[in-house]
Amino acid sequence: MSDSTEQDVTERLPPEDVFSILGNETRIDIIQALWQAENTPVSFSELQDRAAVADSGQFNYHLGKLVGTFVQRDEEGYGLTYAGRRIIGAILDGTYTKRVEIDPFEIGTSCSACGSSLEASYENDQFVVCCPNCTEAVLRFAFPPGVLDGRPRKEFAETASRWIRAQLSFTVNGVCPNCAGAITHSITRDPEYHNREIGLEYDCERCQHHATATVGLHLSYHPAVIALYDDHGIDLNEEFLQSYVYNVDQYTTVRSNNPLRISVTVSLLGDELELIVDEDLNVVERYRK
Ligand SMILES: [Zn+2]
Ligand SMILES: [Zn+2]
């Protein structure tokens, strides 16, 4: 028997056909006009006015190309489909349309190796945190430009923190943030990330999305870690970048190889939490000191 999840999927249109629909200014204007409308559905004549297309025949032709994929129609008029709203999101988040560069700024936390103030910058669609003293970047995360564009500089670190926390949550929970496929993880003993003894790699089976992380980062979603921070009045969702990312994994060690047991100690203001995980990253023991 074939996999039941595959039986329910039908391809609506080949990707080249779908994306060629969008290669027209009038159609993009229609999608944006539908997004900007306060009330939907929007009637044919109102939509024509909003999209500012004078020729009814032309308007009808281009609207017809969008219906069924990016635009839905009922008796009262037109609205965006989920696919149409995703196009608006892609326009607004700037992935395809914007370029933002932000010079290095201090993020209010120090390098765990040398104590210097860490600096973040944004270029080539990547949010990068570096220590000005140590050469290696301590964090590198792909980011749509729209996440930072239009926000005051003092909010960059907080905004980046929330974004990274949310995106990483998909990955940690086995969902690819790029294509929604299945993510698998593997423990590496000679990791490229941060020169740690033990690292973690995530791979998407569908789109080949690849990410490197640490066991400590993976465990930042474990309730015991969240509770440790909460006990000190710190919301880990808000302070992820500032108080967690650089300090965890200094104390990650292999307890045993067969079976594999990895110990991660999270230290916070004199409190210690040790979590021991197996090869599937399930927590099998925990100690609060
Ligand atoms: Zn340093
Ligand atoms: Zn993927």
Side-chain angles (χ1 to χ4, degrees):
M1 259 182 64
S2 63
D3 187 335
S4 63
T5 57
E6 287 175 10
Q7 293 171 2
D8 302 330
V9 178
T10 51
E11 301 287 339
R12 282 199 285 205
L13 279 176
E16 62 273 24
D17 290 1
V18 176
F19 292 113
S20 71
I21 291 173
L22 295 170
N24 176 283
E25 194 180 337
T26 301
R27 296 175 202 164
I28 298 294
D29 287 346
I30 292 170
I31 290 174
Q32 290 190 299
L34 279 171
W35 161 58
Q36 284 161 346
E38 279 160 29
N39 299 306
T40 53
V42 182
S43 70
F44 182 90
S45 56
E46 187 191 341
L47 184 56
Q48 186 180 356
D49 282 352
R50 285 180 167 274
V53 185
D55 184 323
S56 286
Q58 277 291 310
F59 174 71
N60 192 29
Y61 170 75
H62 289 300
L63 179 59
K65 290 286 183 189
L66 293 168
V67 170
T69 48
F70 301 106
V71 171
Q72 61 193 13
R73 173 177 52 196
D74 63 22
E75 307 87 70
E76 290 162 52
Y78 299 86
L80 289 176
T81 60
Y82 175 66
R85 293 198 303 278
R86 287 290 299 263
I87 294 300
I88 290 297
I91 292 170
L92 295 177
D93 85 13
T95 299
Y96 309 104
T97 54
K98 289 180 185 163
R99 189 151 297 280
V100 175
E101 288 199 8
I102 293 165
D103 293 335
F105 62 96
E106 290 188 357
I107 59 164
T109 188
S110 39
C111 172
S112 60
C114 77
S116 303
S117 286
L118 290 174
E119 292 180 344
S121 59
Y122 182 81
E123 58 181 349
N124 299 325
D125 303 328
Q126 294 216 321
F127 186 84
V128 182
V129 177
C130 276
C131 168
N133 228 8
C134 310
T135 47
E136 203 187 354
V138 292
L139 180 86
R140 194 178 281 281
F141 212 92
F143 237 67
V147 174
L148 298 176
D149 181 32
R151 286 195 165 87
R153 173 165 289 237
K154 61 180 169 53
E155 291 177 11
F156 284 171
E158 287 79 2
T159 304
S161 183
R162 282 192 210 104
W163 174 267
I164 292 169
R165 180 91 176 136
Q167 292 292 301
L168 193 58
S169 150
F170 276 95
T171 308
V172 165
N173 288 297
V175 178
C176 176
N178 191 43
C179 78
I183 288 269
T184 56
H185 64 252
S186 51
I187 291 165
T188 51
R189 302 298 287 270
D190 185 20
E192 49 189 278
Y193 181 89
H194 219 169
N195 287 331
R196 301 297 189 202
E197 181 197 356
I198 306 138
L200 190 60
E201 302 204 355
Y202 299 108
D203 286 285
C204 174
E205 295 166 0
R206 187 192 273 166
C207 78
Q208 276 90 50
H209 172 72
H210 174 80
T212 55
T214 64
V215 179
L217 279 183
H218 190 93
L219 290 175
S220 70
Y221 295 88
H222 192 278
V225 175
I226 293 168
L228 173 72
Y229 275 74
D230 187 47
D231 287 350
H232 289 278
I234 298 172
D235 181 345
L236 194 51
N237 292 319
E238 296 289 320
E239 295 283 325
F240 186 57
L241 190 65
Q242 294 85 342
S243 69
Y244 189 84
V245 174
Y246 316 105
N247 297 319
V248 74
D249 288 304
Q250 294 177 69
Y251 310 105
T252 300
T253 53
V254 175
R255 277 286 193 90
S256 76
N257 282 301
N258 195 13
L260 183 63
R261 293 288 183 267
I262 296 169
S263 158
V264 177
T265 299
V266 183
S267 304
L268 183 67
L269 302 166
D271 250 353
E272 270 187 6
L273 171 70
E274 182 185 14
L275 298 175
I276 296 172
V277 299
D278 64 12
E279 60 185 3
D280 296 321
L281 300 176
N282 295 316
V283 173
V284 290
E285 289 173 62
R286 68 174 88 171
Y287 307 97
R288 182 92 179 243
K289 299 165 212 166

